[in-house]
Amino acid sequence: MKKWKQKELKDRKDFRGKSIRGSGNQAFHPGDIKSDQFLIESKQTDKQSYSISLKTWTKIYDEALFSFKLPLLSIQIQDVELVVLDKQDFLKLLKK
């Protein structure tokens, strides 16, 4: 199984979500995984870095808002897993 697919399956389990058919390749099915709270975009790379552009984040953010979810970017860079959230969303989650 490809590493990116393994990452999506792991994120689906970790975030207790459901995979989105077409995994974000269709305008009416954005993102990779949808949980109760989040629209999750899963990314994986074996390289030393992963770049996030404002254009990419804006796309994820807009799709999540349209889905009434919080946007979340789950990134695996080699063996390190990171989560990217909007700061205001993160602060709201801390207050809950």
Side-chain angles (χ1 to χ4, degrees):
M1 181 182 304
K2 296 192 181 221
K3 289 182 180 181
W4 65 266
K5 186 63 175 172
Q6 290 175 345
K7 169 71 171 140
E8 281 187 20
L9 293 174
K10 185 175 185 309
D11 280 347
R12 183 180 73 192
K13 180 182 175 191
D14 290 345
F15 293 106
R16 298 181 186 147
K18 296 179 182 179
S19 294
I20 296 175
R21 191 171 188 202
S23 192
N25 68 1
Q26 301 171 29
F28 49 90
H29 293 294
D32 295 319
I33 300 157
K34 192 179 285 189
S35 73
D36 289 342
Q37 258 185 320
F38 301 105
L39 183 67
I40 302 156
E41 192 74 32
S42 289
K43 300 295 181 188
Q44 182 279 328
T45 185
D46 289 325
K47 297 179 182 179
Q48 295 272 328
S49 64
Y50 181 85
S51 178
I52 306 168
S53 69
L54 184 57
K55 181 180 178 181
T56 299
W57 178 252
T58 301
K59 178 182 178 290
I60 294 166
Y61 190 85
D62 290 346
E63 290 172 347
L65 289 180
F66 186 72
S67 300
F68 302 101
K69 305 285 182 187
L70 296 175
L72 186 145
L73 181 57
S74 178
I75 306 168
Q76 182 174 338
I77 304 171
Q78 295 181 357
D79 294 329
V80 176
E81 290 192 87
L82 306 168
V83 171
V84 177
L85 284 170
D86 178 83
K87 182 178 179 180
Q88 294 306 312
D89 291 339
F90 178 73
L91 293 173
K92 287 177 192 174
L93 290 170
L94 285 177
K95 291 179 181 179
K96 286 187 175 183

